Amino acid sequence: MAASVLKRCVTAAVKVKCLSPSLLARRWLLSAAYTDTKVWEAREKDPQNLAILAANMDRTYDRNLPVSSLTVSRFVDNISSREEIDQAEYYLYKFRHSPNCWYLRDWTVHGWIRECLKYGAREKALHTLKNKVQYGIFPDDFTFNLLIDSYIKDEDFKSACSVVEEVMLQEAFDLPSTQILSLYALGSYLATKPQLTEPQERALGASLLICGLQQDNTIGLSAQLLGNALLGKVEILKGIHAVFKGMPLYWARGYLDRALAVMERVAAASGDVKLSKDTLDNVNDLLQELSSNSTSDTDSSGEESGGEEDKKQEAVDEKDEAEKARLPEYINRFKELSSQLESQGKVDSASFQALVTAVAQQNLAAAEKVDLEQYQSRVQAWDSEKRQLIQREKEMKERAEQEKRERLAATAAAQLG
């Protein structure tokens, strides 16, 4: 559903041949209404003294008893300074390593990210997100959008892509707004021509591929092409296991082959679907780099000792070597398909970044409207669930006090008897 909505949205945008400098200079970001805290702050308040809460949690942990998710929620909800962000981080970590770790509430995660943004501790939000297993921070789409947008506004596209990587790992590209923001961040970062390490190429490749799969248009197919190519580069250099380990990716070999299949699909397609020129240029540069590396490896192989050669064979298995041997074939196919696409008029002169910028300009506002409606309903549901937890806590305390009085009465009666 979300993919089809975005597909309809980008139809006009993908026809753009070029964009004016003034349009490219503008940053199409989330509106003030989207990032406004009014709906969040309008929730029913539960004021707490953080010093008392902290002391109670420490005492509970010292007794090897579980702290409730409601207690952690109260602590995060009552943060009022940058220093208290650090304290909350500690208790999020403690809770994650407690028997109740599975019960961290969605509104607590959302509130944590909001508080980090509010008090200038965005690096803490990113740290706990990148170390989600240690902190239990698994945001929803709306929360991801807030964090990505905050980095885009500061033109910190590298950090924005780090957040997009986490979206990819959670496979949370369901909302059109998340797709637009993610592709904008990825495109803007790649436009800076960064020097990427292999882990960064793998992360960017997976993010481009999985996000691109959500749509069947020029932007989506260009993202799929470059994503597969980046993953294919890692596969050629390090083997298939280095590609899919810890990633929600297809485990079969042949990512460069799948990149070329995207080009073949566009060449065979009817309609206005194209591939962006700068994406094709990036793939061409990538293939030429791999070819140079392959030649260099061949020249130096004769100088290796027998022991070193044996170790190399252990690191890369025969099937990986067979895939690597297909590199010249892939390069020739790429050249043929590039010429075919050019002759068919299926190479869009607008850059990938320009295409995504046009989509953001035209359609982000409409995507926001749906998100905000869902967010308001979600906050109401969270409030309802929280009231139920508070009521349950109250009943349990009353029951415990009643049982304590009964025990004391029974003890007193036994002593008198």
Side-chain angles (χ1 to χ4, degrees):
M1 178 65 180
S4 64
V5 171
L6 187 59
K7 180 181 178 182
R8 292 196 300 270
C9 290
V10 300
T11 301
V14 296
K15 295 181 181 179
V16 177
K17 284 292 181 183
C18 61
L19 297 174
S20 66
S22 62
L23 178 60
L24 289 174
R26 297 184 64 180
R27 294 173 298 171
W28 302 102
L29 308 168
L30 294 177
S31 66
Y34 200 102
T35 58
D36 188 26
T37 62
K38 183 170 59 178
V39 173
W40 180 247
E41 297 295 343
R43 296 170 305 137
E44 186 175 341
K45 303 299 181 184
D46 185 12
Q48 300 284 329
N49 184 306
L50 291 193
I52 295 176
L53 276 179
N56 288 339
M57 284 193 284
D58 290 340
R59 188 162 50 250
T60 302
Y61 283 129
D62 288 342
R63 296 166 62 191
N64 291 322
L65 295 174
V67 167
S68 71
S69 63
L70 187 57
T71 302
V72 177
S73 171
R74 284 168 171 155
F75 196 99
V76 172
D77 284 346
N78 284 275
I79 290 173
S80 59
S81 68
R82 175 62 180 81
E83 292 72 19
E84 290 170 355
I85 292 287
D86 295 332
Q87 297 173 33
E89 178 192 4
Y90 169 76
Y91 287 111
L92 285 169
Y93 180 88
K94 289 285 288 185
F95 186 81
R96 181 61 175 176
H97 293 80
S98 74
N100 277 354
C101 61
W102 301 109
Y103 300 104
L104 186 66
R105 304 295 167 174
D106 291 341
W107 67 77
T108 305
V109 174
H110 179 75
W112 164 248
I113 300 297
R114 276 199 179 275
E115 296 299 333
C116 288
L117 295 176
K118 180 178 180 180
Y119 291 106
R122 191 170 55 186
E123 77 285 353
K124 287 290 184 183
L126 185 57
H127 171 73
T128 54
L129 179 60
K130 299 295 286 184
N131 295 278
K132 53 190 174 294
V133 175
Q134 300 298 322
Y135 292 94
I137 303 301
F138 296 87
D140 58 20
D141 315 66
F142 191 94
T143 312
F144 270 129
N145 285 355
L146 294 177
L147 191 53
I148 295 172
D149 177 71
S150 72
Y151 282 116
I152 290 176
K153 284 179 178 176
D154 291 341
E155 298 186 357
D156 184 356
F157 300 120
K158 182 177 181 180
S159 296
C161 287
S162 292
V163 181
V164 174
E165 179 185 349
E166 297 303 317
V167 180
M168 175 271 295
L169 291 171
Q170 288 188 209
E171 299 181 80
F173 291 114
D174 297 324
L175 296 182
S177 57
T178 307
Q179 297 170 30
I180 292 172
L181 286 172
S182 297
L183 289 172
Y184 185 95
L186 292 165
S188 298
Y189 181 52
L190 289 170
T192 66
K193 304 295 183 182
Q195 295 295 316
L196 301 173
T197 63
E198 287 177 7
Q200 289 173 330
E201 287 176 331
R202 186 176 81 124
L204 285 172
S207 299
L208 284 163
L209 174 58
I210 295 177
C211 188
L213 286 171
Q214 302 300 313
Q215 50 217 269
D216 189 21
N217 49 54
T218 295
I219 294 173
L221 290 167
S222 296
Q224 291 176 43
L225 170 60
L226 185 54
N228 274 314
L230 286 169
L231 294 171
K233 178 182 177 182
V234 176
E235 179 185 359
I236 293 295
L237 295 175
K238 297 294 183 179
I240 188 62
H241 291 281
V243 175
F244 68 78
K245 185 177 181 181
M247 291 280 190
L249 292 170
Y250 190 45
W251 56 267
R253 291 173 174 82
Y255 274 91
L256 284 180
D257 191 38
R258 287 190 277 279
L260 297 175
V262 173
M263 297 177 68
E264 291 172 345
R265 180 180 167 191
V266 173
S270 58
D272 296 327
V273 65
K274 301 178 182 180
L275 292 172
S276 68
K277 186 178 186 306
D278 64 335
T279 299
L280 290 168
D281 290 342
N282 285 332
V283 175
N284 180 63
D285 293 344
L286 181 151
L287 290 173
Q288 294 306 315
E289 180 184 348
L290 284 175
S291 178
S292 298
N293 289 341
S294 178
T295 303
S296 176
D297 291 344
T298 301
D299 292 341
S300 62
S301 61
E303 302 174 5
E304 293 180 352
S305 66
E308 291 174 339
E309 193 170 333
D310 291 340
K311 291 179 181 178
K312 186 173 181 180
Q313 288 298 323
E314 290 175 4
V316 183
D317 65 26
E318 293 180 359
K319 291 183 179 179
D320 286 331
E321 286 295 324
E323 180 63 24
K324 189 174 182 179
R326 296 186 64 187
L327 181 59
E329 172 196 339
Y330 291 148
I331 294 174
N332 290 332
R333 280 177 59 195
F334 174 80
K335 291 178 180 178
E336 293 171 1
L337 287 167
S338 295
S339 298
Q340 182 180 350
L341 289 169
E342 191 72 46
S343 65
Q344 292 176 330
K346 292 190 173 183
V347 177
D348 201 317
S349 59
S351 68
F352 181 79
Q353 183 189 17
L355 292 171
V356 179
T357 299
V359 172
Q361 173 199 8
Q362 295 177 17
N363 307 298
L364 194 52
E368 284 184 15
K369 183 178 179 181
V370 178
D371 291 1
L372 286 170
E373 291 173 354
Q374 294 177 347
Y375 177 63
Q376 291 174 354
S377 299
R378 188 176 305 156
V379 171
Q380 291 174 1
W382 286 344
D383 273 351
S384 177
E385 186 179 353
K386 188 174 181 179
R387 284 193 295 271
Q388 292 176 11
L389 289 176
I390 292 173
Q391 179 61 31
R392 189 184 309 163
E393 180 189 62
K394 181 180 178 181
E395 292 172 354
M396 291 178 65
K397 284 183 177 179
E398 291 175 350
R399 189 180 305 119
E401 290 174 0
Q402 178 64 26
E403 291 175 353
K404 182 179 180 180
R405 287 194 295 269
E406 290 174 355
R407 287 196 303 271
L408 290 174
T411 301
Q415 291 175 347
L416 290 174

